[in-house]
């Protein structure tokens, strides 16, 4: 589903964020991206949905070179990728259902279709009763559920989550991890950058560890830290 071939990213200021990354992520995988702050995790995720372009190498998503896509193809790419952020990134003046509907409105879906799909998405994350509330009226865990509903509204084949539990307490984090696992079991590929070592150790998924822009470990059923 995604391949990185010899990918490097050097930012304008000369910082090398990624250095010769080779990585193959298969459809349906659940992959944890770990490593210290500044290791290059966010940069790697940004290259997938073309928020940044590689300096060298190629990122291939569903058989297409992301950097070579024409402008008209980019919205289509982004619709196939759901994004979840540490700080939720909800629109504070908009109600829960509007936050989720917004991701559909920009794609030109009909009002009728929105009225059908938004409640479905809210039900999936267990927030069907909170559609009319504002983000500030919700707990952190509930706000992140809204973020997940928004990310999933276009039925993406890939969900990329950058520290999705970073602002949440342990119990809430585990509830959200259960939701992410359900989403994965229904077929969505998940890439999750995280510092939550307890979650990584317990779930025994594929772990890709970055350090100074390089992959230093890629292990099926791996833990947060290297065993050796
Ligand atoms: P991580 O997500 O693992 O913390 P990042 O991908 O955010 O790592 O950062 C990798 C390196 O690239 C760091 O040294 C960071 O300071 C640098 N970096 C990230 N974004 C930018 C940017 N927009 N401009 C310049 N340097 C950046
Ligand atoms: P109120 O402002 O009275 O609390 P809501 O915010 O629940 O009402 O709803 C405002 C408008 O948005 C109404 O027209 C309602 O039918 C519509 N609406 C509410 N929930 C949804 C939803 N999940 N999807 C689409 N439209 C909705």
């Amino acid at each position: 589903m995604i391949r990185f071939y010899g990918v490097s990213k050097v930012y304008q200021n000369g910082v090398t964020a990624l250095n010769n990354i080779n990585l193959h992520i298969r459809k349906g995988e659940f992959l944890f991206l770990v490593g210290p702050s500044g290791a290059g995790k966010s940069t790697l995720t940004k290259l997938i949905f073309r928020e940044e372009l590689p300096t060298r190498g190629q990122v291939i998503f569903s058989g297409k070179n992301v950097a070579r896509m024409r402008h008209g193809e980019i919205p289509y790419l982004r619709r196939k990728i759901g994004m979840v952020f540490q700080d939720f990134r909800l629109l504070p003046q908009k109600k829960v259902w509007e936050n989720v509907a917004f991701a559909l409105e920009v794609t030109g879906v009909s009002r009728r279709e929105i009225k059908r799909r938004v409640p479905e998405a809210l039900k999936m994350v267990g927030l069907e009763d909170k559609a009319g509330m504002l983000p500030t009226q919700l707990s952190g865990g509930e706000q992140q559920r809204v973020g997940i509903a928004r990310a999933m509204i276009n039925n993406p084949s890939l969900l990329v989550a950058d520290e999705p539990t970073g602002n949440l307490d342990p119990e809430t984090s585990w509830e959200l991890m259960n939701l992410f696992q359900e989403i994965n079991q229904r077929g969505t590929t998940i890439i999750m950058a995280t510092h939550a070592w307890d979650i990584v150790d317990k779930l025994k998924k594929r772990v890709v560890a970055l350090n100074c822009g390089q992959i230093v470990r890629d292990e099926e059923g791996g833990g947060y830290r290297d065993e050796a």
Side-chain angles (χ1 to χ4, degrees):
M1 151 165 258
I2 305 168
R3 285 175 189 268
F4 283 69
Y5 289 108
V7 171
S8 296
K9 174 66 185 178
V10 182
Y11 283 107
Q12 301 278 4
N13 59 358
V15 171
T16 299
L18 294 174
N19 185 359
N20 192 27
I21 297 293
N22 291 289
L23 180 63
H24 178 196
I25 301 162
R26 285 168 294 271
K27 192 165 162 33
E29 275 195 305
F30 193 132
L31 184 150
F32 283 123
L33 207 50
V34 305
S37 284
K41 304 182 296 296
S42 294
T43 301
L44 193 151
T45 64
K46 285 174 182 169
L47 292 174
I48 299 171
F49 63 100
R50 209 184 191 273
E51 190 174 316
E52 295 287 353
L53 291 170
T55 312
R56 274 188 299 281
Q58 296 179 2
V59 179
I60 310 291
F61 179 80
S62 296
K64 289 201 161 191
N65 184 339
V66 172
R68 292 249 182 93
M69 281 183 179
R70 281 175 287 114
H71 263 276
E73 292 177 283
I74 296 166
Y76 182 69
L77 167 77
R78 293 192 179 145
R79 239 172 284 158
K80 289 201 282 187
I81 304 173
M83 287 292 305
V84 176
F85 307 94
Q86 176 172 7
D87 56 3
F88 319 136
R89 302 207 190 164
L90 303 177
L91 300 165
Q93 325 292 6
K94 292 198 183 281
K95 292 177 180 173
V96 163
W97 77 266
E98 292 172 306
N99 265 282
V100 177
F102 190 69
L104 276 178
E105 282 162 1
V106 296
T107 69
V109 168
S110 73
R111 212 181 141 65
R112 183 151 162 237
E113 181 80 357
I114 289 174
K115 286 221 169 186
R116 186 179 67 77
R117 279 165 65 178
V118 171
E120 260 177 33
L122 290 176
K123 185 150 188 265
M124 183 209 34
V125 300
L127 286 184
E128 59 267 53
D129 304 335
K130 311 249 161 133
M133 295 180 87
L134 290 169
T136 49
Q137 297 172 304
L138 303 179
S139 69
E142 288 170 335
Q143 290 184 52
Q144 192 57 296
R145 285 173 187 272
V146 179
I148 295 169
R150 177 187 57 191
M152 293 303 296
I153 192 74
N154 285 308
N155 252 316
S157 49
L158 172 68
L159 188 63
V160 179
D162 197 352
E163 296 254 17
T165 62
N167 286 345
L168 304 173
D169 63 64
E171 196 186 325
T172 307
S173 297
W174 276 110
E175 287 167 9
L176 283 173
M177 289 311 301
N178 289 335
L179 180 55
F180 282 116
Q181 290 201 91
E182 282 169 28
I183 288 169
N184 178 243
Q185 275 151 21
R186 273 185 259 124
T188 305
T189 306
I190 297 187
I191 301 175
M192 185 177 294
T194 188
H195 289 291
W197 57 269
D198 54 328
I199 288 173
V200 176
D201 284 348
K202 184 92 182 276
L203 295 187
K204 303 213 162 37
K205 306 288 189 190
R206 181 177 174 192
V207 176
V208 170
L210 287 175
N211 199 7
C212 298
Q214 293 186 301
I215 294 177
V216 293
R217 180 163 57 101
D218 182 351
E219 194 179 3
E220 286 301 335
Y224 187 76
R225 287 197 175 75
D226 202 341
E227 304 280 309

